[in-house]
Structures are given as C-alpha cells and as structure tokens.
Amino acid sequence: QVQLVESGGGLVQAGGSLRLSCAASGRTFSTYSMGWFRQAPGKEREFVATISWSGGNTIYADSVKGRFTISRDNAKSTVYLQMHNLKSEDTAVYYCASSRFSAPTRTGSYSDWGQGTQVTVSL
C-alpha cells in the first residue's frame, strides 16, 4: 500500500526544464519500482520512464530518451522526473505509479497511482 502525490508541474517554454516530484507514504517505498506516465488530451496514457527499487535500472520511452531523467531518493520516499529540452508534445498530465514488478513499462503492472500533475509546454 503506497500513496503517491505528484508536484512540480506547471507552464514552461519550449526548450526549458522542469522537475517533477512524487512523494510516497508508507514504510515500504524502497521495495517498489516506480514509474512515470503521461496522458495528453485524446491520447492513451503512455509510459515515460521507470526505475527499479534500488535505482540501478532505468528505462525510458524513446520519445524522452536523452531529455528526461528519472531518479529516486529512498531515504526521502520520493521519485523525481527531471525534464530538459521540453517540447510542445510533452504537454500532458504526468502521473507517478508504483509496482511490485521490476521496472515495468506497462500500465497494468502498476498498482498505485498518484493524482497527476499538469505540464504545459508553450511555444
């Protein structure tokens, strides 16, 4: 059982940077893989990035490779998504989620989800 709360979303110009945070409650945060997903209007929720419980394994969607970095601080029970070189197509609601599987990329492999935070990239 993990409760997740995202923060850090907002409006940023194209080419800019933004860091999202996801704070988790509970005592077992470090036993979960964590992922970031996003959903834009008219689109399915899509995978962005995931990180294993130890932080040793990360996987990124092709669309964000080289621009986004996922990290976690288990002592703070927090996972981050650092976003650079933002593009208009990055505009979406971003969700963090936890999984008992090892760094999965499928939505259905995640058990708990945050409420989402809006990221809007302006031109």
Side-chain angles (χ1 to χ4, degrees), residues 63-114:
S63 60
V64 306
K65 284 181 179 177
R67 300 189 299 119
F68 291 9
T69 301
I70 187 171
S71 62
R72 66 191 297 162
D73 186 338
N74 289 343
K76 296 181 178 180
S77 296
T78 302
V79 63
Y80 305 94
L81 186 68
Q82 180 66 58
M83 305 183 293
H84 294 293
N85 302 314
L86 283 160
K87 305 174 181 180
S88 60
E89 53 262 44
D90 295 318
T91 295
V93 177
Y94 283 70
Y95 300 88
C96 67
S98 62
S99 177
R100 288 292 194 179
F101 298 97
S102 180
T105 61
R106 302 292 297 275
T107 303
S109 296
Y110 289 81
S111 299
D112 299 295
W113 294 80

Side-chain angles (χ1 to χ4, degrees), residues 33-74:
S33 294
M34 299 296 297
W36 286 96
F37 293 77
R38 66 188 183 187
Q39 188 165 24
K43 292 186 176 181
E44 292 185 307
R45 188 168 299 185
E46 67 173 346
F47 167 75
V48 175
T50 185
I51 186 168
S52 62
W53 69 269
S54 67
N57 182 222
T58 58
I59 305 171
Y60 297 91
D62 288 342
S63 60
V64 306
K65 284 181 179 177
R67 300 189 299 119
F68 291 9
T69 301
I70 187 171
S71 62
R72 66 191 297 162
D73 186 338
N74 289 343

